[in-house]
Amino acid sequence: DTGVSQDPRHKITKRGQNVTFRCDPISEHNRLYWYRQTLGQGPEFLTYFQNEAQLEKSRLLSDRFSAERPKGSFSTLEIQRTEQGDSAMYLCASSQLAGVGGDTQYFGPGTRLTVL
Amino acid sequence: LAKTTQPISMDSYEGQEVNITCSHNNIATNDYITWYQQFPSQGPRFIIQGYKTKVTNEVASLFIPADRKSSTLSLPRVSLSDTAVYYCLGPRYTNAGKSTFGDGTTLTVKP
């Protein structure tokens, strides 16, 4: 399978704990995105990388959130001191920025976070 | 922030053609228009992308008028398995990668 993969698929944690999610993009893709999606809403942009550089962060991304893409391949999203409001599906997407054409993003299956 | 507008929900019957329209008044010159399909507990799946006029692939057609302020996703002969949420991906800031999803259109296909 050469699609975007995310790990874990489900995470249950207690309020105040730290959690880390991993995303493995499609291998030749240079852009990687993180989104958050709550029930009944569309995905909300959190941040994106072009290669290893984090180029944009949403205002939604508080200081408790940090994302890395150390070698321009996989990425991690860490949430520190989780709160119940962090409960959501966290989606990762990747794309290959080309000279022409739109930025077509391919999504992973998501990580469902539940904060108790 | 640039935003798209879609109908919240639509109903259809098996075998019918379904057209979902999205408004994106703030689209920039270099923006493409992309549509995604999402089933419960799954990530969005790319359906089709276009810049102007008409694009067709094996699952859908995309119609974009000359002013590009709207687009229409056309699904021919829908089946029960097409029941899903459909998102029109909004314009992004020029030179940035931020992509804005709206709340999507929930399509329910009935037998």
Side-chain angles (χ1 to χ4, degrees), chain A residues 33 37 41 48 102 104-105 107, chain B residues 36 38 44 49 87 97 99 103:
Chain A
Y33 299 78
Q37 186 175 28
Q41 306 294 317
Y48 92 99
T104 303
Q105 299 177 37
F107 284 80
Chain B
Y36 289 83
Q38 188 176 29
Q49 183 181 80
Y87 293 99
S99 302
D103 291 335

Side-chain angles (χ1 to χ4, degrees), chain B residues 8-26:
Chain B
I8 294 174
S9 63
M10 295 181 69
D11 290 342
S12 182
Y13 290 92
E14 282 189 293
Q16 289 188 332
E17 178 185 75
V18 171
N19 296 310
I20 306 174
T21 297
C22 175
S23 297
H24 29 76
N25 293 322
N26 296 334

